[in-house]
Amino acid sequence: MMDSDTLAEARKIVAGGVQEGVTCPCCNQFVKRYKRALNSTMARWLIWLVRTSRSTTDGWVNIKRCPVRGGDYAKLLHWGMVAHAEDKDGGKRSGMWRPTEQGVEFAHSVTRVPSHVFLLTGQVDGWASTTTDIRGALGKRFDYLELMGLVP
């Protein structure tokens, strides 16, 4: 960023480019607004977590036991469907997860939630106006082109 640029100008540059992706003129971080679907892997993982948590005394489950592969399950935090236990140092490395009441209701097809979350620098930046239930999410496969914004 040149000395003559102001913070307001930098914000304008970033705000105007987040849909396609833009490099921040202040910190050189690549910034893009991602549209993430609640997909079938996430839905299958949540169902496994809800079922497995019922057999524990406190609801916490070590995800190393999970037969569903993929790391998208952590995105369920954005929907408020899961909680992640902190380790002894206050970090999030324990591997222990449990469903929230919202997650249990969604897994049992009691509630609907937004079908997509919009993420900007890893934080929620909005929600889709469309909703989904567990059956709809189970039918939604991960789509790389949709994630990258390459599909209209």
Side-chain angles (χ1 to χ4, degrees):
M1 184 165 159
M2 297 175 10
D3 291 336
S4 62
D5 290 337
T6 67
L7 184 55
E9 289 170 334
R11 286 182 176 146
K12 192 174 184 180
I13 291 168
V14 171
V18 294
Q19 298 304 326
E20 305 81 28
V22 63
T23 300
C24 174
C26 296
C27 67
N28 290 326
Q29 177 182 352
F30 182 74
V31 182
K32 182 172 177 152
R33 187 174 193 238
Y34 292 96
K35 181 180 180 183
R36 297 298 307 259
L38 201 162
N39 63 45
S40 62
T41 302
M42 295 159 71
R44 288 176 42 236
W45 187 85
L46 179 63
I47 290 168
W48 172 84
L49 184 67
V50 167
R51 291 180 68 191
T52 306
S53 70
R54 286 186 288 195
S55 65
T56 68
T57 56
D58 58 3
W60 292 103
V61 176
N62 188 325
I63 62 162
K64 292 179 183 173
R65 299 174 39 203
C66 184
V68 180
R69 296 291 168 225
D72 263 358
Y73 61 84
K75 298 286 185 281
L76 290 168
L77 286 165
H78 299 304
W79 277 269
M81 291 195 220
V82 295
H84 188 201
E86 294 182 354
D87 65 11
K88 295 173 194 165
D89 300 325
K92 302 264 188 220
R93 299 178 302 270
S94 71
M96 301 299 286
W97 291 76
R98 72 175 172 198
T100 62
E101 185 177 333
Q102 169 86 1
V104 172
E105 289 177 357
F106 183 76
H108 287 128
S109 202
V110 174
T111 61
R112 297 179 67 85
V113 298
S115 60
H116 294 77
V117 62
F118 294 96
L119 299 174
L120 185 63
T121 62
Q123 302 299 312
V124 174
D125 188 50
W127 297 95
S129 58
T130 57
T131 61
T132 189
D133 61 10
I134 190 70
R135 288 180 181 89
L138 284 167
K140 178 72 175 163
R141 297 284 179 200
F142 176 79
D143 186 338
Y144 175 78
L145 296 176
E146 178 184 28
L147 168 66
M148 296 307 290
L150 302 173
V151 175

PDB file of all heavy atoms in Angstrom, residues 2-15:
ATOM      1  N   MET A   2       0.566   2.176  -0.849  1.00  0.00           N
ATOM      2  CA  MET A   2       1.354   3.401  -0.926  1.00  0.00           C
ATOM      3  C   MET A   2       0.993   4.317   0.247  1.00  0.00           C
ATOM      4  O   MET A   2      -0.105   4.268   0.772  1.00  0.00           O
ATOM      5  CB  MET A   2       1.095   4.103  -2.254  1.00  0.00           C
ATOM      6  CG  MET A   2       1.529   3.249  -3.430  1.00  0.00           C
ATOM      7  SD  MET A   2       1.152   3.890  -5.078  1.00  0.00           S
ATOM      8  CE  MET A   2       0.610   5.517  -4.882  1.00  0.00           C
ATOM      9  N   ASP A   3       1.943   5.181   0.640  1.00  0.00           N
ATOM     10  CA  ASP A   3       1.714   6.091   1.761  1.00  0.00           C
ATOM     11  C   ASP A   3       0.523   7.003   1.536  1.00  0.00           C
ATOM     12  O   ASP A   3      -0.137   7.414   2.470  1.00  0.00           O
ATOM     13  CB  ASP A   3       2.964   6.933   2.022  1.00  0.00           C
ATOM     14  CG  ASP A   3       4.108   6.092   2.573  1.00  0.00           C
ATOM     15  OD1 ASP A   3       3.819   5.026   3.154  1.00  0.00           O
ATOM     16  OD2 ASP A   3       5.261   6.490   2.410  1.00  0.00           O
ATOM     17  N   SER A   4       0.222   7.332   0.296  1.00  0.00           N
ATOM     18  CA  SER A   4      -0.875   8.263   0.020  1.00  0.00           C
ATOM     19  C   SER A   4      -2.252   7.604   0.127  1.00  0.00           C
ATOM     20  O   SER A   4      -3.259   8.291   0.177  1.00  0.00           O
ATOM     21  CB  SER A   4      -0.703   8.875  -1.378  1.00  0.00           C
ATOM     22  OG  SER A   4      -0.764   7.854  -2.353  1.00  0.00           O
ATOM     23  N   ASP A   5      -2.295   6.267   0.147  1.00  0.00           N
ATOM     24  CA  ASP A   5      -3.572   5.572   0.286  1.00  0.00           C
ATOM     25  C   ASP A   5      -4.066   5.686   1.718  1.00  0.00           C
ATOM     26  O   ASP A   5      -3.303   5.636   2.663  1.00  0.00           O
ATOM     27  CB  ASP A   5      -3.429   4.085  -0.061  1.00  0.00           C
ATOM     28  CG  ASP A   5      -3.185   3.862  -1.535  1.00  0.00           C
ATOM     29  OD1 ASP A   5      -3.554   4.747  -2.329  1.00  0.00           O
ATOM     30  OD2 ASP A   5      -2.632   2.811  -1.886  1.00  0.00           O
ATOM     31  N   THR A   6      -5.353   5.837   1.857  1.00  0.00           N
ATOM     32  CA  THR A   6      -5.931   5.893   3.199  1.00  0.00           C
ATOM     33  C   THR A   6      -6.551   4.553   3.550  1.00  0.00           C
ATOM     34  O   THR A   6      -6.796   3.715   2.678  1.00  0.00           O
ATOM     35  CB  THR A   6      -7.010   6.983   3.284  1.00  0.00           C
ATOM     36  OG1 THR A   6      -8.111   6.590   2.452  1.00  0.00           O
ATOM     37  CG2 THR A   6      -6.478   8.341   2.860  1.00  0.00           C
ATOM     38  N   LEU A   7      -6.842   4.374   4.831  1.00  0.00           N
ATOM     39  CA  LEU A   7      -7.504   3.158   5.274  1.00  0.00           C
ATOM     40  C   LEU A   7      -8.870   3.034   4.621  1.00  0.00           C
ATOM     41  O   LEU A   7      -9.283   1.939   4.233  1.00  0.00           O
ATOM     42  CB  LEU A   7      -7.627   3.146   6.798  1.00  0.00           C
ATOM     43  CG  LEU A   7      -8.210   1.895   7.429  1.00  0.00           C
ATOM     44  CD1 LEU A   7      -7.427   0.647   7.010  1.00  0.00           C
ATOM     45  CD2 LEU A   7      -8.216   2.018   8.949  1.00  0.00           C
ATOM     46  N   ALA A   8      -9.563   4.137   4.455  1.00  0.00           N
ATOM     47  CA  ALA A   8     -10.880   4.128   3.800  1.00  0.00           C
ATOM     48  C   ALA A   8     -10.764   3.629   2.361  1.00  0.00           C
ATOM     49  O   ALA A   8     -11.597   2.860   1.890  1.00  0.00           O
ATOM     50  CB  ALA A   8     -11.502   5.516   3.838  1.00  0.00           C
ATOM     51  N   GLU A   9      -9.709   4.058   1.661  1.00  0.00           N
ATOM     52  CA  GLU A   9      -9.501   3.600   0.285  1.00  0.00           C
ATOM     53  C   GLU A   9      -9.200   2.107   0.258  1.00  0.00           C
ATOM     54  O   GLU A   9      -9.686   1.382  -0.608  1.00  0.00           O
ATOM     55  CB  GLU A   9      -8.360   4.389  -0.363  1.00  0.00           C
ATOM     56  CG  GLU A   9      -8.720   5.833  -0.654  1.00  0.00           C
ATOM     57  CD  GLU A   9      -7.516   6.660  -1.056  1.00  0.00           C
ATOM     58  OE1 GLU A   9      -6.372   6.328  -0.663  1.00  0.00           O
ATOM     59  OE2 GLU A   9      -7.713   7.663  -1.765  1.00  0.00           O
ATOM     60  N   ALA A  10      -8.401   1.647   1.214  1.00  0.00           N
ATOM     61  CA  ALA A  10      -8.071   0.219   1.284  1.00  0.00           C
ATOM     62  C   ALA A  10      -9.325  -0.604   1.545  1.00  0.00           C
ATOM     63  O   ALA A  10      -9.532  -1.650   0.922  1.00  0.00           O
ATOM     64  CB  ALA A  10      -7.031  -0.029   2.372  1.00  0.00           C
ATOM     65  N   ARG A  11     -10.170  -0.139   2.469  1.00  0.00           N
ATOM     66  CA  ARG A  11     -11.425  -0.846   2.750  1.00  0.00           C
ATOM     67  C   ARG A  11     -12.313  -0.915   1.518  1.00  0.00           C
ATOM     68  O   ARG A  11     -12.957  -1.920   1.259  1.00  0.00           O
ATOM     69  CB  ARG A  11     -12.164  -0.164   3.897  1.00  0.00           C
ATOM     70  CG  ARG A  11     -11.546  -0.420   5.240  1.00  0.00           C
ATOM     71  CD  ARG A  11     -12.359   0.234   6.335  1.00  0.00           C
ATOM     72  NE  ARG A  11     -11.807  -0.087   7.635  1.00  0.00           N
ATOM     73  CZ  ARG A  11     -11.814   0.722   8.664  1.00  0.00           C
ATOM     74  NH1 ARG A  11     -12.374   1.923   8.563  1.00  0.00           N
ATOM     75  NH2 ARG A  11     -11.283   0.355   9.810  1.00  0.00           N
ATOM     76  N   LYS A  12     -12.336   0.165   0.763  1.00  0.00           N
ATOM     77  CA  LYS A  12     -13.151   0.217  -0.459  1.00  0.00           C
ATOM     78  C   LYS A  12     -12.636  -0.796  -1.492  1.00  0.00           C
ATOM     79  O   LYS A  12     -13.412  -1.497  -2.128  1.00  0.00           O
ATOM     80  CB  LYS A  12     -13.121   1.632  -1.031  1.00  0.00           C
ATOM     81  CG  LYS A  12     -14.132   1.891  -2.099  1.00  0.00           C
ATOM     82  CD  LYS A  12     -14.121   3.368  -2.483  1.00  0.00           C
ATOM     83  CE  LYS A  12     -15.206   3.665  -3.484  1.00  0.00           C
ATOM     84  NZ  LYS A  12     -15.212   5.078  -3.876  1.00  0.00           N
ATOM     85  N   ILE A  13     -11.328  -0.895  -1.611  1.00  0.00           N
ATOM     86  CA  ILE A  13     -10.718  -1.855  -2.541  1.00  0.00           C
ATOM     87  C   ILE A  13     -11.092  -3.282  -2.147  1.00  0.00           C
ATOM     88  O   ILE A  13     -11.513  -4.084  -2.974  1.00  0.00           O
ATOM     89  CB  ILE A  13      -9.184  -1.686  -2.583  1.00  0.00           C
ATOM     90  CG1 ILE A  13      -8.820  -0.361  -3.259  1.00  0.00           C
ATOM     91  CG2 ILE A  13      -8.519  -2.868  -3.273  1.00  0.00           C
ATOM     92  CD1 ILE A  13      -7.358   0.033  -3.080  1.00  0.00           C
ATOM     93  N   VAL A  14     -10.949  -3.597  -0.863  1.00  0.00           N
ATOM     94  CA  VAL A  14     -11.251  -4.950  -0.380  1.00  0.00           C
ATOM     95  C   VAL A  14     -12.736  -5.244  -0.528  1.00  0.00           C
ATOM     96  O   VAL A  14     -13.124  -6.293  -1.048  1.00  0.00           O
ATOM     97  CB  VAL A  14     -10.781  -5.139   1.079  1.00  0.00           C
ATOM     98  CG1 VAL A  14     -11.283  -6.460   1.646  1.00  0.00           C
ATOM     99  CG2 VAL A  14      -9.260  -5.087   1.141  1.00  0.00           C
ATOM    100  N   ALA A  15     -13.588  -4.326  -0.105  1.00  0.00           N
ATOM    101  CA  ALA A  15     -15.037  -4.546  -0.190  1.00  0.00           C
ATOM    102  C   ALA A  15     -15.488  -4.759  -1.626  1.00  0.00           C
ATOM    103  O   ALA A  15     -16.386  -5.564  -1.888  1.00  0.00           O
ATOM    104  CB  ALA A  15     -15.780  -3.368   0.433  1.00  0.00           C
TER     105      ALA A  15
END
